[in-house]
Amino acid sequence: MNLHTSLEHIKGVGPKTAEQLRLSGLETVRDLVYFLPRKHEDFSIISTIDTLSPGRRTIKARVESVTTKSVRRGMKVTTAVLDDGSGKVQAVWFNQAYRQTQFSDTKQEYFFSGDFEFSYNRYQFTNPSAEKVVDMPVQTDRLLPVYRSIKGLKSQLVRKLLAELRPLLTMIPDTLPDTIVRSEQLASTSEALLGMHFPETQAQVVRARERLAFEELFQLLLASERNKQENAKLLSWPVTFQQSVVKEIVARLPFELTPGQKQVIWEILQDIERQEPMNRMLQGDVGAGKTVVAAVVARQVVSAGHQVAVLAPTEILASQHAKTFATLLEPLGVKVAFLAGSVSKKRREPLLENIENGQAQVVVGTHALLEPSVRFNKLGLVVIDEQHRFGVNQRQKLLDKSERMPHLLAMTATPIPRSLALTVYGELDISIIKQKPANRLPIETEIWSPVSRKQLYQTIDAELAAGRQAYVICRLIDDNPANDTKSVEAEYKKLQNSLFGHRKMGLLHGKMKPGEKEQVMQQFLAHEIDILVSTTVVEVGVDVPNATVMLIEDADQYGLSQLHQLRGRVGRSSHQSYCYLMTSDTKKPTRRLREVEQSNDGFYLAEVDLKLRGPGEIYGRAQHGSLNLQVATLADTELIQRAQRAARAFVRSDANLLQYDQLAEQVARYQRLTTLN
Ligand code: ADP
Ligand code: MG
């Protein structure tokens, strides 16, 4: 038997079991060996109910009675009374309705393990785990690994199978280079896997986790380093810095650049002087002034005889950028063109021609720019707004349109915590604009409860009376745009029947055609609309300086970074702006909302968001879910730094990655994942 052996060859696995395992992604011995426990329950000390004190506790008890009730918003609460002969205690589970059937047999004895705490006016166990006493493996009487449940199989089975594999675990060769294991003083692969599946002490679990987490991070960071190396092999057009060109455009700006903007422009200009394509991400909080940075750089690139493409995620944003670039660059003789899905066929033909013959020097548009019909003429720079990275596929498309790889500048208002920047975006160089232009007043943010809605409307109406405009963002129902539309329409009606009845209102949602959206945004910009009722489609980039009020309904339903992004739609002029966070019920506001109320710092909020929700929630499951980190957390900056040092050293040494099978395989996977999308 070895790691590649199929699981059906293990004792105790019949065809049915093998099929269930396969459905859960477990096919080989290796899959099972790396099927790591979610946690370990400590059964070394069993308390009796009459002596329980608050904390993480384990008891051995029967279930006397169990009931399940539905409370608000589909939440199910299951309550059980547990009895161990010394006394009785209550246990509560939230949204685990299966507990109701699980505990129907009152004779069965279980170990319950979890937090014994004071809540809802009594001491109780909250969401304890439960293991049948008869199922407990004989050899584990202390730390019990708890595995994710596999559909159709008893929770015991995984433990039994692993027990079969235990002798093999002791012989597994190391998956990391020797030198690294030694210099980082890590547990060996074998030691780590034994420590996860068969720990005798908590210290063994800690050491096992450290090793496995380090390995995951090392793989991820090594993948970044190799992506960087591969990028460096590509050839771009070097753009020589000409002081007079840059000075001219900067002198014509209607404002002074902030020190942060100057610094970043300098970093980019230095980058694009090289033959190796730039691969840089510019982070700057909403309103930090990233567009003008791109425009100054674009001016230099055009002046060196190359084309610039500017890509925006939506048509509204693309057209706004086209206008900004035209305003800044056309007086200097630069030709700016706009291309998006809505551009008519008749206007498209000559436009495509101008792009191909190089007359259009800066081309602003949506992803329509990537279509095969668009051919560039010495494309020197691609600016991507509001997207974190540009995948290999997209880059390949650009390369097909251009003899050389263009320099890439990705701009994002989503502040990315340092740990994520290092791991997930490791192949990008990062520039950050920290300050905002000095003429901005900080936005005042307040949490409101629906009971005071009328008073809030009066406050907002006073702003409208003073000539300002407002956004009202509606409830995020689910991922279904049809439901969003319904909620926007309902909100619109509600506002019309309120004291805002005499105000001009507009409506914006994801189901509208690009042309319709554009029209509404134009009306709002021209102040033909006082209140714009919208879904989160206004989230990115849109700039209406006269709008000073942002009311977000059901604010508790959003993530911190998203609230901060929405808030960034206001505060874009020298008028005082306000952001009102309306809670969905009258309960005490959550810690998350209070963080947004108290901080205007997008980076800080992103760090908090990362801690509270994890990267998958924030940056999209598709991207980060697939990273599939089992043990490492991206919040562990210290380990990330260690892994990064090791990855760099490995790349610099002449070690051959292919010598390490499993490592090479994982690194290749991460390389694909992190350059893709
Ligand atoms: P973002 O970084 O969110 O993309 P924008 O580039 O849209 O920000 O800039 C926001 C607004 O700030 C624009 O109206 C822009 O003209 C203005 N702006 C940019 N830089 C400065 C500056 N240095 N001083 C004053 N206003 C500026
Ligand atoms: Mg922007």
Side-chain angles (χ1 to χ4, degrees):
M1 189 177 328
N2 62 41
L3 287 175
H4 304 290
T5 306
S6 166
L7 287 175
E8 57 200 327
H9 299 305
I10 308 182
K11 201 176 122 207
V13 181
K16 262 207 198 121
T17 306
E19 177 61 10
Q20 294 296 346
L21 289 167
R22 200 184 58 75
L23 288 175
S24 287
L26 303 176
E27 291 190 52
T28 62
V29 166
R30 183 164 108 180
D31 295 337
L32 191 62
V33 161
Y34 278 92
F35 185 71
L36 301 175
R38 283 191 293 124
K39 57 177 179 180
H40 294 87
E41 293 290 6
D42 191 349
F43 289 92
S44 55
I45 302 166
I46 310 278
S47 311
T48 54
I49 291 176
D50 61 342
T51 60
L52 273 176
S53 59
R56 259 198 107 65
R57 299 284 175 260
T58 300
I59 57 168
K60 189 174 173 187
R62 291 187 171 82
V63 180
E64 185 187 271
S65 63
V66 56
T67 54
T68 298
K69 282 200 203 106
S70 286
V71 293
R72 65 187 171 86
R73 268 204 239 126
M75 164 99 82
K76 285 212 165 74
V77 180
T78 304
T79 309
V81 176
L82 314 179
D83 185 343
D84 73 349
S86 81
K88 291 179 191 181
V89 68
Q90 179 170 301
V92 173
W93 292 270
F94 296 98
N95 284 337
Q96 300 184 14
Y98 64 92
R99 299 287 188 192
Q100 179 71 37
T101 33
Q102 181 183 8
F103 299 132
S104 52
D105 178 2
T106 53
K107 289 198 195 73
Q108 199 56 255
E109 220 181 355
Y110 296 89
F111 287 114
F112 292 94
S113 191
D115 284 319
F116 181 65
E117 57 186 18
F118 191 75
S119 65
Y120 298 99
N121 291 321
R122 63 158 87 216
Y123 282 102
Q124 60 179 27
F125 275 100
T126 312
N127 289 326
S129 69
E131 294 284 342
K132 273 190 202 166
V133 172
V134 289
D135 279 352
M136 288 289 280
V138 202
Q139 77 270 32
T140 351
D141 54 355
R142 315 181 56 139
L143 283 171
L144 183 72
V146 180
Y147 298 90
R148 174 163 63 76
S149 62
I150 296 182
K151 215 176 149 243
L153 296 178
K154 288 215 172 109
S155 63
Q156 264 321 94
L157 186 82
V158 169
R159 281 184 212 129
K160 267 197 202 123
L161 296 181
L162 280 163
E164 289 288 323
L165 295 174
R166 190 172 179 161
L168 182 82
L169 286 191
T170 60
M171 301 184 305
I172 284 186
D174 214 288
T175 47
L176 279 177
D178 245 15
T179 46
I180 294 177
V181 177
R182 256 184 285 118
S183 65
E184 294 293 330
Q185 304 186 354
L186 297 168
S188 68
T189 299
S190 165
E191 200 184 332
L193 290 172
L194 287 167
M196 288 303 271
H197 296 302
F198 309 98
E200 271 157 25
T201 64
Q202 200 59 48
Q204 283 175 349
V205 177
V206 170
R207 195 165 148 72
R209 295 189 71 88
E210 182 209 28
R211 151 72 201 228
L212 295 168
F214 179 92
E215 186 161 352
E216 285 176 352
L217 293 168
F218 178 76
Q219 291 163 349
L220 193 53
L221 289 158
L222 189 53
S224 300
E225 290 298 321
R226 289 171 60 87
N227 279 338
K228 262 191 186 166
Q229 278 185 322
E230 273 167 30
N231 184 61
K233 283 185 215 145
L234 298 169
L235 199 62
S236 67
W237 276 292
V239 174
T240 310
F241 168 62
Q242 293 164 281
Q243 195 178 21
S244 57
V245 169
V246 174
K247 260 200 162 149
E248 187 189 11
I249 178 169
V250 171
R252 295 181 52 100
L253 295 173
F255 43 71
E256 172 91 9
L257 289 173
T258 62
Q261 286 171 318
K262 287 183 193 165
Q263 168 70 29
V264 165
I265 289 172
W266 180 236
E267 283 169 4
I268 298 169
L269 290 175
Q270 278 186 311
D271 258 14
I272 61 177
E273 282 202 297
R274 298 194 290 165
Q275 277 211 327
E276 167 185 326
M278 170 170 77
N279 202 12
R280 189 171 279 279
M281 173 157 66
L282 170 55
Q283 291 180 36
D285 213 340
V286 273
K290 296 182 290 291
T291 317
V292 67
V293 167
V296 171
V297 175
R299 172 71 191 115
Q300 175 65 82
V301 174
V302 167
S303 171
H306 302 291
Q307 242 172 355
V308 176
V310 181
L311 260 88
T314 64
E315 187 138 354
I316 299 179
L317 205 56
S319 77
Q320 210 162 59
H321 276 332
K323 278 177 208 122
T324 309
F325 277 85
T327 311
L328 294 169
L329 299 175
E330 287 193 337
L332 298 162
V334 176
K335 290 274 181 302
V336 178
F338 172 67
L339 180 67
S342 68
V343 173
S344 69
K345 242 191 159 161
K346 220 172 81 204
R347 279 166 50 217
R348 204 179 194 68
E349 300 261 305
L351 192 57
L352 290 177
E353 213 173 286
N354 279 348
I355 296 174
E356 188 165 4
N357 67 25
Q359 275 187 34
Q361 294 164 300
V362 174
V363 189
V364 186
T366 55
H367 278 64
L369 291 184
L370 297 177
E371 281 164 19
S373 59
V374 185
R375 277 179 295 271
F376 287 95
N377 190 298
K378 289 178 81 181
L379 183 59
L381 170 70
V382 174
V383 178
I384 314 145
D385 196 25
E386 301 301 350
Q387 205 180 317
H388 296 150
R389 79 148 61 83
F390 210 53
V392 226
N393 291 339
Q394 290 164 308
R395 295 179 64 167
Q396 192 54 48
K397 282 186 190 164
L398 285 177
L399 199 52
D400 294 345
K401 298 169 179 298
S402 176
E403 294 155 53
R404 296 194 186 182
M405 193 64 196
H407 296 291
L408 286 175
L409 177 65
M411 306 198 290
T412 175
T414 314
I416 298 178
R418 201 177 134 67
S419 59
L420 269 192
L422 279 174
T423 47
V424 182
Y425 300 103
E427 84 281 10
L428 300 174
D429 293 314
I430 290 178
S431 291
I432 299 176
I433 305 181
K434 281 262 163 70
Q435 329 88 316
K436 289 194 192 177
N439 62 350
R440 305 287 163 71
L441 294 166
I443 300 167
E444 281 179 23
T445 304
E446 280 172 14
I447 300 174
W448 282 72
S449 152
V451 288
S452 320
R453 182 175 291 281
K454 205 149 187 195
Q455 196 191 335
L456 176 60
Y457 281 3
Q458 281 160 359
T459 311
I460 294 176
D461 203 55
E463 274 289 297
L464 300 180
R468 304 283 85 79
Q469 290 160 275
Y471 294 97
V472 176
I473 305 297
C474 303
R475 191 180 164 76
L476 184 82
I477 296 181
D478 46 39
D479 288 338
N480 184 349
N483 287 344
D484 281 351
T485 310
K486 262 190 265 161
S487 90
V488 178
E489 280 161 1
E491 185 68 29
Y492 186 85
K493 284 221 183 76
K494 182 172 112 193
L495 290 169
Q496 273 183 328
N497 292 326
S498 74
L499 58 97
F500 295 124
H502 63 296
R503 299 287 178 195
K504 286 164 288 170
M505 277 183 232
L507 211 138
L508 196 71
H509 56 75
K511 273 267 168 119
M512 289 161 66
K513 295 209 178 74
E516 295 169 348
K517 279 195 235 167
E518 172 81 351
Q519 201 185 349
V520 173
M521 276 320 294
Q522 289 304 342
Q523 286 173 338
F524 192 53
L525 190 61
H527 202 168
E528 288 158 20
I529 290 172
D530 297 308
I531 304 176
L532 184 62
V533 187
S534 173
T535 59
T536 53
V537 291
V538 290
E539 198 178 336
V540 280
V542 181
D543 192 13
V544 181
N546 191 51
T548 57
V549 176
M550 167 62 65
L551 165 57
I552 304 173
E553 292 288 342
D554 300 293
D556 36 286
Q557 316 254 323
Y558 297 83
L560 298 187
S561 293
Q562 202 178 12
L563 289 173
H564 182 68
Q565 292 276 315
L566 286 167
R567 174 167 63 184
R569 297 303 105 225
V570 297
R572 314 195 121 235
S573 68
S574 50
H575 297 296
Q576 176 62 54
S577 285
Y578 306 89
C579 175
Y580 301 116
L581 305 172
M582 181 64 84
T583 53
S584 50
D585 51 34
T586 51
K587 288 209 317 238
K588 230 173 75 188
T590 57
R591 155 145 181 239
R592 281 166 39 172
L593 280 191
R594 273 184 272 119
E595 295 278 8
V596 180
E597 186 181 43
Q598 280 155 23
S599 173
N600 250 317
D601 180 341
F603 274 92
Y604 168 75
L605 292 174
E607 296 281 359
V608 176
D609 223 4
L610 181 63
K611 279 205 199 91
L612 293 179
R613 294 195 303 157
E617 286 290 323
I618 309 171
Y619 301 97
R621 289 221 171 277
Q623 202 174 105
H624 301 276
S626 55
L627 288 181
N628 212 357
L629 297 179
Q630 283 209 79
V631 188
T633 72
L634 294 179
D636 193 345
T637 26
E638 201 209 330
L639 201 62
I640 288 171
Q641 271 157 16
R642 275 172 62 191
Q644 188 182 38
R645 272 198 304 273
R648 291 207 168 138
F650 185 83
V651 169
R652 274 197 304 268
S653 75
D654 45 274
N656 179 7
L657 178 60
L658 296 178
Q659 200 183 317
Y660 309 94
D661 287 352
Q662 190 168 329
L663 179 62
E665 199 179 297
Q666 285 296 328
V667 168
R669 194 175 76 87
Y670 282 135
Q671 271 190 272
R672 277 197 306 279
L673 279 175
T674 55
T675 51
L676 243 130
N677 86 73

